[in-house]
Amino acid sequence: SAGSLQELLHVDIKVLMAGSTLRKVKSRSWKKQRHFRLLEDGLTIWYKSRWAGKGHSTFSVTELEMVREGHQSEVLLSIAEEFPAALCFTLVFHGRQGNLDLVAESPEEAQAWIQGVRKLIHRAQTMDEKERLDQWVWDWFQKADKNKDGKMNFKEVRKLLKMMNIEMNEEHAFHLFTMADKSGTGSLEIEQFVHFYKILTQRDEVWKVFQDYSGDGEKLMLEELDNFLRIEQQTGERSAQHAQELIERYEPSETGAMTLDGFQMYLCSQDGSIFKPEHQGLYQDMSQPLSHYFISSSHNTYLLEDQLRGHSSLEAYIKALKRGCRCVEVDSWDGNDGEPVVYHGHTLTSKILFRDIMSTLKEYAFKASDFPVILSLENHCGVEQQTVMAQHLRQILGDTLLTTLVDGQVPLQLPSPQVKIYAVGTDSFSLLLVYIPTFILYLCACRLNAHLLIASGHLIPTNSSKEKEKCGAENCPMASFALFSPLLQKSKSKLSRELSDLVVYCKSVHFHGFEHSRLHAKCYEMSSFSESKAKKLAKESGRDFVQYNTRQLSRIYPSGFRTDSSNYNPQDMWSVGCQIVALNFQTAGLEMDLNDGLFRQNNCCGYVLKPEFMTDGNAQFSPEKPDERQGYRPLRLSIQVISGQQLPKVNQKEGSIVDPLVRVEIYGVPQDQAKDETSHINNNGFNPVWNETLNFVITTPELALVRFVVEDYDKASRNDFIGQFTLPFKCIQAGYRHIHLLSRDGTAIPPSSLFVNISISELS
């Protein structure tokens, strides 16, 4: 680790290690000087106030996602007149953690930090498994070496074991210590500490699997590794070639075979992960109508916190879009100076400008995914500021905003996520196929007051013959939009024609029932349902709801009573084929774990193709009666939970050690909802071993999600969350696999993992 850092020691890194005084900025009025420097491990950034005595803070480069240069945050924009862009930069953290806005004393110092931190982030992101492990061991050595003499005595080692979440018999610990202390000095230097760590982390459960396939107990020859991959990992015909690739990738020795070290490294790598590698990239057919996809969707996207007093922020849109969100919500209200503002109306949430959100969308909408973004616009503005909104939409989004039908024809079905626009090349006059990532504007019904939501068609205030003449086609969808509802007419609300004209494929209509929709609805008509209404329809008319969603888009939103921005279970809505299941992305927990889990596949593009029985208009699938569908084939899922590795501490008190248990939860159609858990292991978060098997029957594998949760058992109160990982059942790889755990926030917590053996079979 130290050696690889030496390679990086170029001028920028040297500036970081020497340290700089930077202004930490939280608001226009809060700008305070802090001394920042990179510690010797090359991974930890330390900072403190020059006047704060011994108090200091640290964070790891691994927590950082990127560095933004200049005034690229709301806070830095607010002080742009005071500090030029050349002095400013923003450190962006993974997950929901707030950004760090900084101002340097000179442009040269700012550039040194910008370029230096970018190099460190790149290094952290491109480390292989061995480098990550070396770095992790180095970090522990640094933490344990309290007096910074480059050595560690037994007293420091005992403290280290507590820090590493392991309770160990003192006599046994001292025995391991003396085995590692080759020089007999009563202390360990870094190389000896690495040896101590290897003794400490010897994994009998991996050694036993290795022994089952190794002829001499020392190594796996190519044929032996091939046998393991075919029999245990079920890799099929390509196992021989795959075995050779794995030896080349993970085996540290040059023997042409795989030793125990290489075998363990393979099992802990992405190749040994539970997630099928072929499902990580873009593997689904993206040419079907939009109604055939689940679409990652956000509710109240502008909020970072709760919807009563929370902070509205452009950062919330950036974070949602970077997570692959493809439907964002904008609640617009009249602003004081003629500029529409966005916030949660009639509450104490802060306000942001509508135009700034459009600029943010223009910049970030297509960085994580090339596929369409649906803008769900909840309009509370008067006609004048609606026109301003329309101008911003057109001027800021420009060509990326879809304002006409894709092929000029009245659609019989919705366009696909691969929205195509044809153009004639001016040089060759040949027909060119040009793909332009496109926004689709969905205009939601307006709110008459704080309590009454009208969900009715109101996009064109007339469908008179004159309007049809203007439109130029008797059956054009733009000429057949519904009149205002009676309630809306009573309120004498008016819609700006400029804004209404931007709605092309997602016309908001009131839901009159499944039979009415079957007979009269158009594919471009879309209804919004509250979570309670959708849940009721799913329970009472699941088959009809599935059919409805083969043709049209439906959007589900959380109850207005969720003032804390909590979420409902999205699986209930996905099980009837609802596409736009909107969640509060700012709120961590089970519901967002499920959303992240479903959309983790297909290159995290925000679109997941529904199973065929939910897209075929003739299929008769009911989530309440899964056994009645054609092709019904339930599967048995057997999970042997073998062990855990380096689980994070929940309670940071020095003597606190976790008592971990593993729970597996299945989410899918009602019949598949299930959970089971292991017993808990006392005082061992470092290398707990369970060797317990949990069994499940999955009736509808295509819709099932599997969530692995690790908790700290507490007999007196509720268990504490340690980590989780959620993925679609169809993305699970059988065999001996590691599950790399995520924090409550959905970010990685390496090297924390579970080691499992998974078997999937048909019910006999």
Side-chain angles (χ1 to χ4, degrees), residues 447-734:
R447 227 176 243 180
L448 300 182
N449 55 53
H451 309 291
L452 179 62
L453 176 67
I454 307 298
S456 61
H458 64 280
L459 302 179
I460 300 292
T462 177
N463 66 353
S464 67
S465 57
K466 282 185 181 177
E467 292 297 337
K468 291 183 180 180
E469 283 170 25
K470 273 187 201 173
C471 187
E474 184 67 21
N475 59 350
C476 171
M478 295 301 288
S480 63
F481 281 166
L483 292 166
F484 290 97
S485 72
L487 266 174
L488 210 53
Q489 284 177 334
K490 255 186 227 178
S491 76
K492 297 184 179 171
S493 296
K494 292 182 180 177
L495 259 288
S496 154
R497 181 61 187 259
E498 289 90 340
L499 189 57
S500 297
D501 281 353
L502 295 179
V503 180
V504 181
Y505 283 109
C506 299
K507 174 200 165 191
S508 178
V509 298
H510 183 68
F511 177 71
H512 292 287
F514 293 122
E515 183 63 15
H516 180 274
S517 297
R518 189 177 64 79
L519 296 173
H520 305 292
K522 310 291 191 296
C523 67
Y524 49 80
E525 292 177 335
M526 174 172 168
S527 297
S528 286
F529 304 86
S530 68
E531 61 172 283
S532 53
K533 173 75 170 174
K535 204 165 185 177
K536 186 171 185 286
L537 288 171
K539 192 161 184 64
E540 294 174 356
S541 313
R543 199 185 307 269
D544 293 330
F545 213 164
V546 171
Q547 280 289 301
Y548 172 87
N549 285 319
T550 63
R551 306 181 299 271
Q552 293 170 258
L553 293 174
S554 58
R555 176 178 174 271
I556 318 301
Y557 58 89
S559 160
F561 294 107
R562 293 183 181 273
T563 54
D564 59 350
S565 294
S566 60
N567 283 311
Y568 54 90
N569 188 328
Q571 185 66 54
D572 298 333
M573 318 307 172
W574 293 328
S575 289
V576 286
C578 297
Q579 303 88 350
I580 300 176
V581 180
L583 297 177
N584 289 296
F585 269 48
Q586 72 271 30
T587 306
L590 161 67
E591 298 80 13
M592 274 307 297
D593 292 346
L594 296 178
N595 196 79
D596 289 344
L598 176 66
F599 293 104
R600 186 164 279 119
Q601 61 185 313
N602 210 31
N603 205 32
C604 301
C605 75
Y607 284 81
V608 167
L609 185 63
K610 295 194 280 189
E612 197 172 333
F613 57 80
M614 298 187 106
T615 60
D616 179 356
N618 299 314
Q620 295 292 310
F621 171 70
S622 167
E624 297 286 340
K625 299 174 181 176
D627 55 330
E628 293 182 3
R629 79 172 166 98
Q630 193 175 1
Y632 172 71
R633 199 186 72 171
L635 296 175
R636 182 182 301 282
L637 171 64
S638 180
I639 301 169
Q640 182 191 10
V641 180
I642 302 172
S643 61
Q645 292 75 45
Q646 289 96 50
L647 303 176
K649 289 182 71 163
V650 173
N651 188 330
Q652 293 306 315
K653 287 180 184 171
E654 194 169 300
S656 171
I657 306 289
V658 299
D659 304 325
L661 63 83
V662 178
R663 186 168 60 254
V664 177
E665 303 170 347
I666 311 294
Y667 296 88
V669 298
Q671 202 171 318
D672 288 345
Q673 308 278 6
K675 56 182 68 173
D676 198 4
E677 63 187 41
T678 67
S679 56
H680 67 275
I681 304 290
N682 286 323
N683 286 331
N684 191 346
F686 186 73
N687 55 1
V689 175
W690 289 278
N691 274 325
E692 295 181 35
T693 300
L694 310 177
N695 291 300
F696 303 91
V697 172
I698 315 285
T699 67
T700 314
E702 298 87 345
L703 288 176
L705 290 167
V706 183
R707 183 173 184 249
F708 296 85
V709 193
V710 186
E711 290 182 346
D712 180 13
Y713 173 77
D714 192 324
K715 65 181 177 185
S717 62
R718 191 174 176 180
N719 293 349
D720 287 319
F721 174 90
I722 293 176
Q724 68 84 31
F725 188 77
T726 306
L727 76 166
F729 174 82
K730 298 292 281 183
C731 294
I732 289 178
Q733 293 201 93

Side-chain angles (χ1 to χ4, degrees), residues 408-458:
Q409 300 296 313
V410 179
L412 297 176
Q413 64 178 24
L414 286 165
S416 80
Q418 293 175 331
V419 179
K420 298 175 179 70
I421 294 177
Y422 294 87
V424 177
T426 52
D427 293 330
S428 61
F429 296 99
S430 61
L431 193 67
L432 298 177
L433 183 64
V434 181
Y435 171 68
I436 302 176
T438 308
F439 284 97
I440 300 172
L441 182 65
Y442 159 53
L443 198 62
C444 178
C446 62
R447 227 176 243 180
L448 300 182
N449 55 53
H451 309 291
L452 179 62
L453 176 67
I454 307 298
S456 61
H458 64 280

Side-chain angles (χ1 to χ4, degrees), residues 45-312:
I45 293 176
W46 173 101
Y47 67 97
K48 65 171 286 189
S49 162
R50 288 187 296 182
W51 306 278
K54 293 183 179 178
H56 67 272
S57 300
T58 62
F59 58 88
S60 172
V61 172
T62 58
E63 297 172 47
L64 294 174
E65 182 183 319
M66 65 182 296
V67 185
R68 290 193 210 138
E69 195 169 346
H71 298 141
Q72 288 199 61
S73 77
E74 288 160 277
V75 170
L76 291 178
L77 275 170
S78 73
I79 59 165
E81 291 180 7
E82 188 178 355
F83 298 103
L87 301 179
C88 300
F89 60 99
T90 302
L91 301 183
V92 180
F93 289 82
H94 290 291
R96 294 175 178 82
Q97 188 175 342
N99 296 341
L100 191 55
D101 290 306
L102 299 168
V103 180
E105 293 183 345
S106 71
E108 294 74 24
E109 190 171 50
Q111 276 302 309
W113 276 89
I114 290 164
Q115 300 306 327
V117 174
R118 281 176 178 166
K119 286 184 179 74
L120 293 171
I121 291 172
H122 177 74
R123 172 174 162 265
Q125 289 173 344
T126 54
M127 283 194 289
D128 62 26
E129 294 304 313
K130 184 177 186 311
E131 287 171 329
R132 283 182 200 281
L133 198 58
D134 287 349
Q135 181 69 59
W136 194 75
V137 175
W138 172 268
D139 290 347
W140 279 118
F141 185 82
Q142 294 288 326
K143 287 175 188 171
D145 183 17
K146 296 294 186 188
N147 59 6
K148 303 300 175 194
D149 63 354
K151 297 176 182 176
M152 202 162 51
N153 60 34
F154 183 62
K155 187 178 178 184
E156 288 174 314
V157 165
R158 278 170 54 208
K159 283 193 175 178
L160 167 66
L161 295 179
K162 294 274 188 188
M163 289 162 66
M164 291 174 101
N165 218 351
I166 184 167
E167 185 76 68
M168 187 180 280
N169 175 283
E170 190 165 323
E171 193 177 322
H172 181 58
F174 186 70
H175 174 65
L176 295 183
F177 180 88
T178 49
M179 281 174 65
D181 180 19
K182 302 288 188 189
S183 57
T185 59
S187 62
L188 305 181
E189 294 182 5
I190 182 63
E191 293 80 8
Q192 294 166 328
F193 177 69
V194 170
H195 181 61
F196 171 74
Y197 173 81
K198 287 192 77 169
I199 304 171
L200 196 66
T201 55
Q202 278 181 346
R203 291 177 55 186
D204 288 345
E205 73 276 22
V206 173
W207 182 80
K208 283 173 186 168
V209 177
F210 183 83
Q211 291 297 308
D212 285 344
Y213 287 89
S214 171
D216 63 1
E218 298 292 325
K219 58 188 175 300
L220 289 174
M221 302 305 292
L222 184 63
E223 187 180 345
E224 292 168 339
L225 181 57
D226 180 14
N227 286 339
F228 169 76
L229 293 174
R230 273 188 304 100
I231 296 167
E232 301 291 354
Q233 309 297 74
Q234 299 180 27
T235 52
E237 294 174 4
R238 60 183 284 268
S239 58
Q241 179 192 344
H242 189 42
Q244 184 62 50
E245 290 168 359
L246 293 179
I247 290 172
E248 290 170 4
R249 199 173 303 154
Y250 298 108
E251 177 50 46
S253 71
E254 302 291 330
T255 60
M258 187 170 266
T259 63
L260 179 59
D261 280 352
F263 185 65
Q264 185 163 315
M265 207 162 290
Y266 148 64
L267 286 175
C268 292
S269 74
Q270 284 305 311
D271 284 301
S273 121
I274 191 173
F275 203 101
K276 281 183 181 173
E278 61 268 30
H279 284 189
Q280 289 181 353
L282 192 70
Y283 74 99
Q284 294 184 331
D285 175 10
M286 302 304 290
S287 64
Q288 299 191 32
L290 283 171
S291 55
H292 289 188
Y293 297 85
F294 297 121
I295 303 171
S296 181
S297 306
S298 165
H299 177 65
N300 288 348
T301 315
Y302 47 89
L303 288 177
L304 282 173
E305 301 154 36
D306 70 81
Q307 53 196 48
L308 287 182
R309 299 169 179 273
H311 184 53
S312 302

